[in-house]
Every structure is written in structure tokens, then in C-alpha cells.
Amino acid sequence: VIKCKAAVAWEAGKPLSIEEVEVAPPKAHEVRIKIFATAVCHTDAYTLSGADPEGCFPVILGHEGAGIVESVGEGVTKVKPGDTVIPLYIPQCGECKFCKNPKTNLCQKIRITQGKGLMPDGTSRFSCKGKQIYHFMGTSTFSEYTVVADISVAKIDAAAPLDKVCLLGCGISTGYGAAVNTAKVEPGSTCAVFGLGGVGLAVIMGCKIAGASRIIGIDLNKDKYAKAKEFGATECISPEDFKKPIQEALVEMTDGGVDYSFECIGNVGVMRAALEACHKGWGVSVIVGVAAAGQEISTRPFQLVTGRTWKGTAFGGWKSVDSVPKLVTDYMSKKIKVDEFVTHTLPFNKINEAFELMHKGK
């Protein structure tokens, strides 16, 4: 058993607490990882807020991390101690019907136990002050050591800087993949990206790499426009600057609507606007943002009858074990940006400050 520091969420709505936790050794088909860097994501904040129906407490959150394998359980063949890895919240077992189908990346092998905050055998590897602590998204990267299933880990280039590539564990991969895998943005197309946080910037990067000629960034926070343009946005607008709904403004600006739109916020009203901003006959709108539990989307069916397509994406459609190492390689060869997404680097004990910065849009 390893004793180390972790940021424990004891209950919903309260700040994280840095505690000494015990991390049990990995069982069969499990991997224990020393985490060197983790990022914070709105999904962590969503669960911490208490709005997540799958949220269980006390829990160690975090799902964008990178580290080194410390030890492996029986039967683990894909990684060994000393390997550099990224934990994966969407695993890839290679055996379930989802993994065997090229149309999806949603491996279901450990979905039920992962959703309950447990390892595949139905137990936890974390304890603190004599209490069991739950896992989160199968990763729990807000701990100096974590244990994950062996199908939930990608071995990456040992030369990669861990404080940067940890972001490929969720946000950057999700947005970039939404553009290149899910929407399949084409050269010369017009795109609209709603929400210019990390995921939205990654979508813009993907649209630009795919050859889009016009990329319109949309956000209420104008402080985000300069960064969006660095990533490839050709213009940025705020819904507050128009007297009409934003979808109508976009349809006018683009001679009938955009070819591709992306919702990167998790707001069902914006999801509708993103669909309705699409061009009749061929426009595709991709939902990337995660809405709160129980919310529903709506539009007039005629929007779809007249040729628009509504899609969604999880982790950008990447088959995780196969794709994350390639994304790291693409970053190392400067094909995709990662460093530019990092705004602040804080010591682990200031993790609550990181959440505050995120909530302020900084």
C-alpha cells in the first residue's frame, strides 16, 4: 500500500481537501500509476457541484492526467513499470462489440462499475481516515498515485512533457476529434464554434487543420477572442451584439448558414441555436458539451427534414488506446498545438484555485 497526497471531494459543493490517502496495489488486469501532472476540466466541476446523477462521494476526481507506471497486477501485458502513460476515461478493450465496430469509440467493458466509482471487481483501491474513497471516470488523477484498469491506459512517447500531454486525456482530444472525426470538416467549409474554452479552441484547431476557410467563434466573453484567433478563428462574435437570435445572425452572415457547427458549452438552448445556424440541405451540428442531468434538446423537426444533421461526440470519436499515443506523436511533431492551451501551472495544493480560475473563464 502506498500513502500519498490526494485531493478528496468529501461531499458535493465543498472545496477539495488535500489529504493523505492509502492506495492499494493493483489487482489482476490493473495498473498503478504515479501521476506527475493533471488538468482540471468542467466535468470535474460538474460532478463536484452535486448535479451529476452518477456522482458518488467521497471521491477523488480528475480525468486529465499523465504519469509513469509504478506497478502492474497479474495478467497485464500492454504496459510495464517505468512506462509513460495517460489514463483513459473511455477505455478500449478491443473485445466488446463497440470496440469491434469502427463506427464508435464507446467501449462498454467496464462502464457499469466505472459509473459507480469502482474498479471492475466492484471495489475501490482508495481509502482515507478509514473510509473507502470512490474512483472517478476510471481515472482519479487528482492523486499522486492512482489505479486504473489495464484497458484504461495508453502508453505514450517517454520524451513527452507530462505537464502538457495530460491535456490529451480529455479536452484537446475531444474538441479536435469532434472536428476531424465526428463532423469530418472539409476543406473550404464554413464552421461556427459556440463556446471558446479549451474544448472550443481545440475544435477551432481541428477545423483549421481540416482546411476550413471560415471559422466563426462565438462567446459572451470577449476576452477569449484573441486566443481563438491564434488557434485559427477568422472572426469572433457575441450573441449580445445582435438584436436577433444568434442562429438568424449566422444564417445572414454566411449566406444561408454554416456547413458545420459545434456546441462546446453544455447548454441545451445553445445546442438548438447551433443546429439552426446550419445550412439547409447539408449542415451538420455536433454536440460536444455535456448538459446537466435531465435536460432535453428541442427543435422543429422540419430543421432535420430539410437536410440538417444533429450529431454528438464523446472523446472526439478517438479509439483511446490506439489514438492517444498518435495524438502525442502529432504534438511532438508540431502537427497539433498543446502548449498554447496551458494558461496557468499551479502546485497540487492550490487545486481549488485552479477551479476558481476555470469558473472565471481564465
Side-chain angles (χ1 to χ4, degrees), residues 24-326:
K27 294 189 184 178
H29 295 288
E30 295 177 2
V31 178
R32 187 160 61 181
I33 303 166
K34 181 175 186 182
I35 298 286
F36 282 87
T38 185
V40 296
C41 170
H42 275 283
T43 311
D44 303 305
Y46 167 61
T47 298
L48 185 57
S49 74
D52 181 356
E54 272 199 348
C56 16
F57 296 88
V59 63
I60 295 172
L61 299 169
H63 62 284
E64 290 185 325
I68 307 278
V69 174
E70 177 272 334
S71 59
V72 299
E74 197 184 327
V76 175
T77 55
K78 300 270 176 73
V79 293
K80 63 186 185 304
D83 283 348
T84 306
V85 293
I86 290 176
L88 307 167
Y89 69 90
I90 294 181
Q92 185 186 349
C93 72
E95 295 164 0
C96 70
K97 69 179 181 182
F98 289 80
C99 281
K100 286 181 173 167
N101 191 322
K103 294 178 181 176
T104 186
N105 63 327
L106 298 175
C107 173
Q108 295 296 293
K109 184 82 178 260
I110 59 173
R111 177 75 200 95
I112 291 167
T113 48
Q114 182 171 313
K116 289 178 180 164
L118 300 167
M119 293 301 289
D121 73 345
T123 63
S124 167
R125 300 293 161 270
F126 296 122
S127 59
C128 179
K129 297 176 181 170
K131 284 189 183 151
Q132 171 183 283
I133 309 287
Y134 287 106
H135 294 252
F136 177 67
M137 289 174 74
T139 52
S140 289
T141 60
F142 293 172
S143 174
E144 290 177 327
Y145 287 85
T146 189
V147 179
V148 305
D150 62 353
I151 57 171
S152 304
V153 63
K155 182 182 171 182
I156 61 161
D157 183 343
L162 301 185
D163 61 330
K164 305 294 193 294
V165 295
C166 61
L167 290 167
L168 293 169
C170 178
I172 299 178
S173 305
T174 297
Y176 177 52
V180 299
N181 296 332
T182 310
K184 295 186 169 60
V185 171
E186 294 164 320
S189 55
T190 298
C191 302
V193 181
F194 292 77
L196 301 176
V199 174
L201 294 176
V203 171
I204 290 171
M205 176 173 77
C207 292
K208 184 182 178 183
I209 288 171
S213 58
R214 192 172 177 193
I215 303 169
I216 304 164
I218 303 139
D219 203 298
L220 297 169
N221 182 352
K222 295 186 177 182
D223 294 341
K224 300 199 166 191
Y225 294 177
K227 194 87 167 167
K229 286 175 180 168
E230 274 175 47
F231 277 88
T234 52
E235 63 219 272
C236 293
I237 57 174
S238 167
E240 289 176 338
D241 291 344
F242 299 91
K243 296 218 161 60
K244 58 184 71 156
I246 188 68
Q247 55 265 54
E248 288 177 28
L250 282 161
V251 166
E252 274 179 27
M253 283 169 63
T254 57
D255 183 30
V258 299
D259 302 311
Y260 301 97
S261 71
F262 302 85
E263 197 280 354
C264 308
I265 301 161
N267 178 310
V268 292
V270 178
M271 290 172 190
R272 177 173 190 159
L275 176 78
E276 295 177 359
C278 282
H279 202 289
K280 183 189 277 188
W282 63 77
V284 174
S285 185
V286 181
I287 294 173
V288 193
V290 177
Q295 297 199 328
E296 298 184 349
I297 47 172
S298 61
T299 189
R300 296 195 315 285
F302 200 63
Q303 291 284 332
L304 301 175
V305 171
T306 51
R308 294 168 195 83
T309 302
W310 221 344
K311 301 182 88 168
T313 188
F315 196 53
W318 301 106
K319 295 233 185 217
S320 59
V321 173
D322 292 343
S323 304
V324 169
K326 291 176 185 157

